[in-house]
Amino acid sequence: MIVVDAHQHFWDPTRDDYGWLTPSNVQLYRRFGPENLSPLLAQAGATCTVLVQAAASEDETKYLFSIAAGHKFVRGVVGWVDFAADDVEQRIAALVTLSDGRLKGLRPMIQDIADVSWLAQRKLDPAFRAMIRHGLTFDALVAPRHLGLLRDRLLMHPSLRAVLDHGGKPDIAGGDYDFWAADIERLARDTNVYCKLSGLLTQAAPRARAEALGDFVAHIFRCFGSERVMWGSDWPVLTVPATYSAWLEIARTLVNRYAAGSEQAVFRENAIRFYNLDEPEQGQSTPPTARAS
């Protein structure tokens, strides 16, 4: 089965625009580039990816465009723009033009914004309208405390294609299930948002396996159905709790357990449809790569 990785990152700390990435984060504070990911994709049978921003910077988004231009396995980029900027519509239009079709969506780093009610600001309306106008998707990087506000925002823009990153980041290690589960149910019921089956091992206790994620993944499939769930690695953040192949195997076990028969949808078709990606080539075993100029 051809796998599409709907959520991965590249970064280089020497760029100095990753506010969250500091030398104290020993395992992640180094360059992670296409040459590191390519062999993992080949081993896993993953032939294309969606490259997601990791810095609150338009410069980083342009950096991701340059990587995507030189590495064919990157089929789309989810970038960043200042949603509250007075000229946000012009900024989005400029990024769309610069990307040459590679920009698929935008992601504000909501989990890191001090104002918990940021999503409710009407000043953000032009950004969301511009995304709809340009056919861009919205990646929602939120914590459980934001789920109600996310629902309210998406109800304001019913034609916006949106996806919830990392299952809304439930506190799996702490067993904090009930409030997350209730808000997830309302969000999935009242909006058309998709959900990424990604980042969950990072939310769990160290060395967690499929059993630790079971209740949370079962609830995701109950609420969103297999037609609105897509798999992502969240590499290289993933490298802290597990290897690429280990997470893929855990995810396959969970999908087979809670959404049997939907493997093609979760690991391939839903991401292609949501992000409007070019179809991966049949029989392609190794992601083609080239150095970005």
Side-chain angles (χ1 to χ4, degrees), residues 116-131:
V116 176
S117 62
W118 180 83
L119 266 172
Q121 296 182 41
R122 298 310 301 264
K123 187 176 183 179
L124 307 181
D125 292 1
F128 285 98
R129 290 196 296 264
M131 290 175 66

Side-chain angles (χ1 to χ4, degrees), residues 39-166:
L40 304 180
L41 297 177
Q43 181 183 12
T47 60
C48 67
T49 73
V50 176
L51 176 56
V52 181
Q53 63 81 226
S57 158
E58 288 184 29
D59 284 342
E60 194 238 7
T61 297
K62 296 170 186 177
Y63 166 67
L64 300 183
F65 291 162
S66 70
I67 292 177
H71 296 83
K72 294 182 180 179
F73 69 82
V74 178
R75 297 297 173 90
V77 171
V78 175
W80 182 93
V81 73
D82 182 357
F83 273 54
D86 291 337
D87 60 345
V88 66
E89 294 169 278
Q90 290 77 20
R91 289 171 181 256
I92 291 173
L95 287 175
V96 168
T97 299
L98 182 64
S99 78
D100 193 24
R102 297 180 177 90
L103 184 65
K104 302 298 183 180
L106 294 170
R107 185 175 85 148
M109 303 180 79
I110 299 168
Q111 67 173 11
D112 298 329
I113 296 174
D115 181 3
V116 176
S117 62
W118 180 83
L119 266 172
Q121 296 182 41
R122 298 310 301 264
K123 187 176 183 179
L124 307 181
D125 292 1
F128 285 98
R129 290 196 296 264
M131 290 175 66
I132 294 169
R133 187 162 60 250
H134 289 284
L136 299 177
T137 64
F138 174 58
D139 264 60
L141 177 62
V142 299
R145 64 183 178 274
H146 301 112
L147 291 172
L149 287 166
L150 176 61
R151 171 186 171 275
D152 294 342
R153 170 55 71 175
L154 296 183
L155 287 173
M156 295 169 60
H157 310 284
S159 62
L160 177 69
R161 288 179 294 139
V163 61
L164 178 66
D165 286 353
H166 314 322

Side-chain angles (χ1 to χ4, degrees), residues 31-48:
R31 184 182 185 277
F32 287 91
E35 69 279 7
N36 306 118
L37 181 60
S38 292
L40 304 180
L41 297 177
Q43 181 183 12
T47 60
C48 67

Side-chain angles (χ1 to χ4, degrees), residues 1 11 13 39 46 67 80-81 102-104 115 129 159 170 178-179 182 193-194 199 204 209-210 236 238-239 274 286:
M1 178 181 67
W11 61 66
I67 292 177
W80 182 93
V81 73
R102 297 180 177 90
L103 184 65
K104 302 298 183 180
D115 181 3
R129 290 196 296 264
S159 62
D178 291 341
F179 288 108
V193 68
Y194 282 57
R209 304 300 291 176
L238 171 68
T239 62
F274 179 81
T286 303

